[in-house]
Amino acid sequence: MDALSPLGMVSDNPSDNQTEFGEAEAQKDYFVQKDGVKFAGTHLLLDLWGASNLTDPELIDRALRDAAEAANATILHSHFHHFGPDGGVSGVLVLAESHISIHTWPERDFAAVDIFMCGACNPYRSLPVLKETFSPTSSLLAEQRRGLIA
């Protein structure tokens, strides 16, 4: 992990609900069944306009961690890059169930957030945490079901 540190902020702190995957666990099917449809997971695309707190990588890391925990996701790793003192932040929280990523444009008061989760996680539970942290004046949400099985 130390080799990645010059590239940005790297976390060695997985979430408390991370477990060792045994052979039986590795065979588990994490596809989701909802409304009679089976798919890999739910991918939410969230645009936050009029947002604040877009330049602090530590605060953004904490917000994404809190959002992942609210969704009952398992945090494996995080990495954030800060584009200067007043610049934006790009980063990702890698989850056992997929990821949450963010790209911020503080000069436009805008953040683009991707939340992709499979299994028993509920990505919609992440939304109030993110909206509380970034306090957008408006937001746009789109859902994509990934890996759709007919």
Side-chain angles (χ1 to χ4, degrees):
M1 292 282 191
D2 289 338
L4 294 176
S5 294
L7 299 175
M9 193 174 94
V10 178
S11 173
D12 289 323
N13 302 320
S15 62
D16 292 336
N17 63 346
Q18 181 176 347
T19 60
E20 292 297 320
F21 294 103
E23 191 169 318
E25 186 72 20
Q27 299 302 318
K28 187 174 179 182
D29 183 0
Y30 285 94
F31 269 56
V32 175
Q33 183 130 3
K34 184 177 176 184
D35 304 324
V37 179
K38 193 165 189 173
F39 52 99
T42 302
H43 196 164
L44 300 180
L45 304 175
L46 177 64
D47 287 352
L48 301 173
W49 289 100
S52 57
N53 298 318
L54 302 178
T55 62
D56 183 344
E58 287 85 11
L59 181 135
I60 292 171
D61 178 47
R62 181 77 261 152
L64 269 58
R65 287 176 173 281
D66 291 346
E69 289 170 4
N72 200 34
T74 307
I75 300 165
L76 300 177
H77 173 79
S78 66
H79 179 82
F80 294 87
H81 180 80
H82 192 200
F83 294 96
D86 296 319
V89 175
S90 288
V92 65
L93 195 67
V94 180
L95 309 172
E97 301 83 6
S98 198
H99 72 273
I100 302 176
S101 65
I102 190 166
H103 303 279
T104 71
W105 286 263
E107 68 278 10
R108 301 257 183 198
D109 300 325
F110 174 71
V113 182
D114 287 19
I115 306 167
F116 181 30
M117 295 181 182
C118 64
C121 296
N122 183 346
Y124 284 95
R125 291 185 183 155
S126 298
L127 301 177
V129 174
L130 297 171
K131 288 181 178 180
E132 182 178 331
T133 300
F134 300 111
S135 303
T137 56
S138 66
S139 62
L140 180 64
L141 179 67
E143 177 189 298
Q144 179 71 42
R145 292 181 178 181
R146 305 294 303 271
L148 190 63
I149 298 175

